[in-house]
Amino acid sequence: MKILVTGTAGFIGYHTAKSLSGKGYEIIGIDNINDYYDVRLKYARLTDAGIDIDGMEYGKPVRSSNAEEYTFIKADITDRKFIENLFLTEKFDVVCHLAAQAGVRYSIENPDAYVNSNISGFLNVLEAGRKNGVKHIVYASSSSVYGKNKKVPFEETDRTDNPVSFYAATKKTNELMAEVYSDMYGIPMSALRFFTVYGPWGRPDMAPYIFMDSVINGRSIRVFNHGDMYRDFTYIDDIVSGVCAVTENEPSTSGNRIYNIGNGEPVNLMDFIKVIEDVSGHKATMTMEHMQPGDVIATYADTSRLKADYGYMPTVPVHVGIERFYEWYAWYRSLNKA
């Protein structure tokens, strides 16, 4: 099976491509390596996956030295001509579309980036997929689509027509686009509504990384809503197990199936910070602030649908995940100080 994984210099994409290539599938990964956050981390992920970043050129494939089944191409999903040619040439069986402009707060400052990547880029993938016989498209949505929903846990059948951020609006748009393409062209689609993901190689713009980095380096943490917030913190290995299960198994019927993918056990923000303090041996300094625009008080996933269809069962508790995250962080920090 040949699989396209987009966003493979990103957090979840890097782990997903690495996992799938280890199972013998032929994997082609693409990423534009934008500078939304420190590109050194993105290049480090690629290097860890066996990609020679020194010889990298736009549009040119680079074979992994770690897994001969994995090839990376620096390219942008908004480049319609490139995407069309790639699909035409490679004849993918499945697409695992994880590339996107991420971040809730950044979408307030730079909405154009979200239209270009999350909507136009996704349209390019859908069009190329339907023209070239792709059998299944798995794509990243987000728990942010639940918006102002106060009912917990969040279920896939809950209303998602009241987003509180432009980022959430683009992710809901992706789901509607996939619904139309699945209905019109009979392509099975699977949306994954990710909840808060953390772990080794994590994104430095997300709270778990920010908290870890700030605690260890003695900087104050901005704690919104005075700490009265809950997040469904989910360790990266559990997320990847779910992503791979959906990607590896073609649905028996067409349609746009939507899945929550999270831990199913929300953690209070203050408790999460306490675990970081205990694991790292450093005391956190906190600045309590009011709720930020685009934020919600609680996220909490009902994952019973993903469990029923794919056997999804998260296994990593927060204290274990934070210990592993801290070990990686300490290693990565020492590497960049060398």
Side-chain angles (χ1 to χ4, degrees), residues 1 26 50 56 104 173 183 193 280 285:
M1 183 162 64
E26 184 177 354
M56 193 180 297
V104 169
T173 301
D183 183 61
R193 289 178 176 169
S280 68
T285 302

Side-chain angles (χ1 to χ4, degrees), residues 133-167:
V134 168
K135 299 173 184 175
H136 185 199
I137 297 178
V138 182
Y139 64 98
S141 186
S142 168
S143 62
S144 66
V145 301
Y146 290 108
K148 297 176 183 177
N149 182 27
K150 291 181 170 57
K151 171 190 156 292
V152 290
F154 297 160
E155 297 179 84
E156 293 90 347
T157 53
D158 291 342
R159 290 180 59 180
T160 53
D161 56 357
N162 53 1
V164 294
S165 71
F166 190 67
Y167 168 70

Side-chain angles (χ1 to χ4, degrees), residues 267-330:
V267 177
N268 179 270
L269 211 54
M270 300 301 292
D271 293 338
F272 190 78
I273 294 170
K274 180 65 166 58
V275 175
I276 292 176
E277 289 180 321
D278 293 344
V279 168
S280 68
H282 291 74
K283 186 70 175 174
T285 302
M286 291 172 273
T287 302
M288 298 298 178
E289 300 190 15
H290 296 300
M291 182 77 84
Q292 285 275 288
D295 264 350
V296 294
I297 290 177
T299 62
Y300 177 8
D302 179 331
T303 60
S304 56
R305 179 181 288 181
L306 190 59
K307 179 181 178 181
D309 287 1
Y310 293 99
Y312 175 73
M313 284 286 288
T315 61
V316 183
V318 167
H319 71 276
V320 173
I322 290 296
E323 286 176 357
R324 295 176 185 173
F325 182 33
Y326 173 68
E327 290 172 1
W328 171 83
Y329 174 88

